[in-house]
């Protein structure tokens, strides 16, 4: 009898296999997160070496979501996912990301400078009919040619990365539904977000390697990682195919997509509240990440570390990254330890390693390594939150708490951090604490919001539901990097004038912006999310959506 039961067991029934699938998908997203922000920690270098002011930088960064939003690619991605299945869409998304990344890389290379292609971009794409009239063009007259071409690559990459996002969510539902779904989604996102720290630590290192600045080396690093991401999707393809062979289930593509399915999603009030909460959360975080390093450079005083100092070597970069991995591994593993002594032992190791990581970031005197702490607290608490939602519920309540923390952090950056500009140690401590809390607040989203979607729509249209949410989210991810760049230039007129008149150098201008207005704008997004969070709780109570109920019925 036991042998018979064992023979019936599938890959999905094995906890080890389920979590192995999660690791493959998480690592693929980890690589994509690195590329998404690969230029963020070197915004100042893009201004000094490629002539990208804040408006150009923001326009290029916002272009990532342009095709998703205005050509409705994400909607098509959801239809592809529902019609063709997880495996096909995973491979397609990995390929599209890589193609876009290669274009983005070439745009910032020395080879592009002075080429016929650069000349073409200088003379073209300065006016896009209809889009210019609507004020949504991804290009503008005077935009550096390298930024225009990089924007095209980033648009293509953006199609792939957002398609990958909805595909990974659908894949996790397939492998974890009825089990530890919120824990799985939260863990995947926490591990993937280590890509943010990796990017912040290594992107400037590659850009400055050998004492010669070349920003294309940073982008090339991201391209190589996206090749690895594609390999991860290929491995997942075969594991998922074997699962279907074991279960006898057909992939989702055998259930034909109907336009009427979209109507079912769009007429759900709960769906719209979750979608709007998502766009507000993500718009307050992802665009901020693209400017966070520069914000720290403008609000804290960093002194140059002597070239012959240990803290200026690449060795310290490797050591700090290894310490970061210890923090992440110990904090993450503590959630799964059965023995109390082991659990708290791992937490102590994580805490000590985190302090060491922060100390090294301070000694290196670089804003990039200070912001690299962003995802580390999230890695430890996201599984806790996911596990809580799985067994206790309260997903809507967690979104309210996340909104409050979001508001607090952005207002701290806007009004408290600048007061400590002349206090080297105090300013860095406030920056570290606020960044950690901001990362923790964001961990509430994958742990509580994403696992709630299957409660709002039919299983066969989950792909389309996620695609619609991502599409709405992408409107914010397109708009706010652009808005932040424009607000920075508009609220720093003297700085812009001094730069244009040659009073200050591009290097000096890049670290002299007043970020108060953009940060207040992002805090307002948190206020709107807080209001919607309370509305969602009321709607959930009235309509019985089950958002406050646990995913696993005891």
């Amino acid at each position: 009898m036991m042998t018979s039961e064992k023979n019936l067991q599938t890959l999905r029934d094995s906890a080890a296999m389920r979590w192995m699938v999660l690791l493959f998908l998480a690592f693929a997203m980890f690589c994509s997160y690195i590329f998404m922000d690969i230029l963020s920690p070197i915004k100042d270098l893009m201004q000094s070496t490629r002539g990208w002011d804040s408006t150009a930088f923001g326009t290029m960064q916002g272009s990532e979501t342009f095709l998703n939003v205005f050509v409705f690619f994400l909607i098509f991605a959801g239809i592809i996912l529902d019609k063709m299945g997880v495996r096909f869409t995973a491979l397609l998304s990995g390929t599209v990301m890589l193609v876009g990344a290669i274009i983005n890389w070439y745009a910032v290379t020395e080879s592009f400078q002075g080429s016929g292609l650069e000349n073409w971009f200088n003379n073209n794409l300065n006016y896009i009919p209809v889009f210019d009239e609507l004020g949504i063009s991804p290009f503008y007259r005077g935009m550096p040619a390298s930024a225009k071409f990089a924007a095209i690559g980033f648009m293509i990459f953006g199609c792939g990365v957002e398609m990958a996002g909805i595909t990974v969510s659908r894949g996790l539902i397939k492998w974890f539904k009825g089990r530890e779904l919120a824990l799985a989604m939260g863990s995947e996102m926490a591990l993937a977000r280590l890509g943010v720290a990796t990017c912040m630590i290594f992107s400037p290192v590659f850009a400055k390697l050998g004492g010669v600045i070349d920003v294309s080396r940073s982008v090339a690093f991201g391209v190589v990682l996206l090749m690895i991401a594609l390999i991860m999707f290929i491995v997942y393809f075969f594991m998922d195919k074997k699962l279907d062979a074991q279960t006898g289930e057909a992939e989702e593509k055998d259930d034909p997509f109907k336009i009427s399915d979209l109507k079912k999603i769009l007429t759900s009030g709960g769906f719209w509240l979750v979608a709007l909460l998502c766009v507000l959360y993500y718009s307050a975080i992802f665009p901020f990440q693209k400017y966070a390093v520069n914000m720290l450079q403008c609000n804290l005083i960093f002194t140059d570390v002597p070239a012959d100092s240990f803290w200026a070597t690449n060795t310290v970069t490797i050591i700090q990254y290894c310490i970061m991995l210890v923090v992440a591994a110990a904090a993450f593993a503590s959630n799964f330890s059965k023995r109390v002594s082991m659990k708290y032992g791992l937490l102590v190791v994580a805490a000590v390693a985190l302090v060491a990581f922060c100390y090294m970031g301070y000694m290196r005197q670089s804003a990039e390594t200070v912001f690299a702490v962003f995802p580390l607290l999230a890695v430890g608490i996201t599984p806790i939150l996911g596990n809580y939602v799985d067994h206790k519920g309260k997903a809507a309540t967690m979104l309210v708490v996340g909104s409050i923390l979001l508001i607090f952090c952005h207002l701290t950056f806007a009004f408290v951090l600048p007061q400590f500009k002349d206090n080297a140690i105090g300013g860095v401590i406030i920056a570290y604490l606020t960044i950690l809390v901001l990362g923790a607040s964001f961990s509430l989203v994958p742990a509580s919001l994403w696992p709630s979607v299957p409660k709002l729509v039919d299983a066969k249209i989950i792909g389309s539901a996620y695609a619609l949410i991502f599409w709405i989210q992408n409107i914010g991810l397109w708009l706010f990097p652009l808005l932040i760049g424009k607000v920075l230039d508009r609220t720093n007129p003297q700085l812009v004038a001094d730069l244009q008149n040659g009073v200050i150098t591009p290097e000096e201008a890049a670290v002299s912006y007043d970020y108060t207005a953009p940060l207040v704008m992002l805090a307002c997004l948190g206020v709107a999310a807080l209001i919607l969070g309370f509305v969602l709780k009321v709607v959930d109570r009235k309509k019985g959506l089950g958002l406050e109920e646990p995913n696993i019925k005891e």
Side-chain angles (χ1 to χ4, degrees), residues 82-366:
D82 282 334
K83 195 169 181 63
M84 301 302 294
V86 177
R87 295 193 294 272
F88 173 85
T89 315
L91 293 183
L92 179 62
S93 64
T95 304
V96 172
M97 281 195 292
L98 185 57
V99 170
I102 291 171
I103 294 172
N104 190 274
W105 163 76
Y106 181 69
V108 298
T109 60
E110 292 291 341
S111 300
F112 180 76
Q113 306 298 309
S115 67
L117 196 58
E118 182 189 39
N119 187 55
W120 188 91
F121 274 96
N122 275 324
N123 296 326
N124 294 278
L125 300 181
N126 293 313
Y127 171 74
I128 312 294
V130 180
F131 287 109
D132 265 277
E133 278 73 17
L134 293 174
I136 57 173
S137 176
F139 314 108
Y140 61 87
R141 189 174 300 278
M143 185 176 181
S146 58
K148 287 181 186 175
F149 193 34
I152 290 175
F154 215 36
M155 286 178 201
I156 297 171
F157 166 80
C159 291
V161 75
E162 297 300 335
M163 186 192 296
I166 60 174
T167 304
V168 166
S169 295
R170 181 65 175 268
L172 292 179
I173 290 170
K174 180 176 181 178
W175 282 77
F176 284 89
K177 191 170 184 180
R179 296 177 174 87
E180 51 288 89
L181 178 60
L183 175 60
M185 284 191 161
S187 298
E188 179 271 324
M189 192 56 74
L191 293 173
R193 283 195 184 127
L194 286 176
V196 178
T198 303
C199 169
M200 296 299 161
I201 291 174
F202 284 107
S203 179
V205 170
F206 282 107
K208 301 172 183 176
L209 204 61
V212 178
I213 293 177
D214 184 353
V215 292
S216 69
R217 285 194 296 255
S218 297
V219 185
F221 166 63
V223 170
V224 171
L225 289 175
L226 287 177
M227 293 177 182
I228 298 174
L230 181 56
I231 294 171
M232 294 295 100
F233 281 137
I234 292 172
V235 174
Y236 168 77
F237 178 95
F238 288 105
M239 292 187 72
D240 195 74
K241 190 172 184 179
K242 185 174 182 180
L243 173 65
D244 281 355
Q246 289 176 333
T247 60
E249 297 173 358
E251 265 223 285
E252 301 89 336
K253 62 182 179 182
D254 290 336
D255 195 0
F257 174 83
K258 304 183 189 69
I259 294 297
S260 59
D261 292 336
L262 291 179
K263 184 179 178 182
K264 295 177 186 176
I265 301 171
L266 296 174
T267 53
S268 167
F271 167 83
W272 278 108
L273 284 172
V274 168
L276 290 173
L277 269 166
C278 177
V279 70
L280 291 170
Y281 261 112
Y282 277 65
S283 296
I285 298 287
F286 281 131
F288 170 72
Q289 282 178 197
K290 298 181 185 301
Y291 289 88
V293 170
N294 189 236
M295 183 274 295
L296 292 174
Q297 291 170 335
C298 295
N299 283 307
L300 296 173
I301 294 177
F302 293 99
T303 56
D304 290 333
V305 177
D308 58 350
S309 167
F310 166 71
W311 300 107
T313 64
N314 288 332
T315 302
V316 76
T317 304
I318 304 298
I319 294 173
Q320 189 181 18
Y321 190 68
C322 290
I323 291 174
M324 185 205 82
L325 294 179
V326 171
V327 176
F332 189 75
S334 68
N335 291 284
F336 303 94
S337 178
K338 302 287 190 232
R339 289 166 46 201
V340 175
S341 58
M342 177 64 76
K343 181 183 183 71
Y344 287 105
L346 287 169
L347 286 174
V348 169
V349 170
V352 172
L354 179 61
V355 171
F357 180 87
C358 292
Y359 173 74
M360 294 182 79
Y362 169 73
M363 291 302 293
R364 294 180 67 187
Q365 287 293 293
S366 70

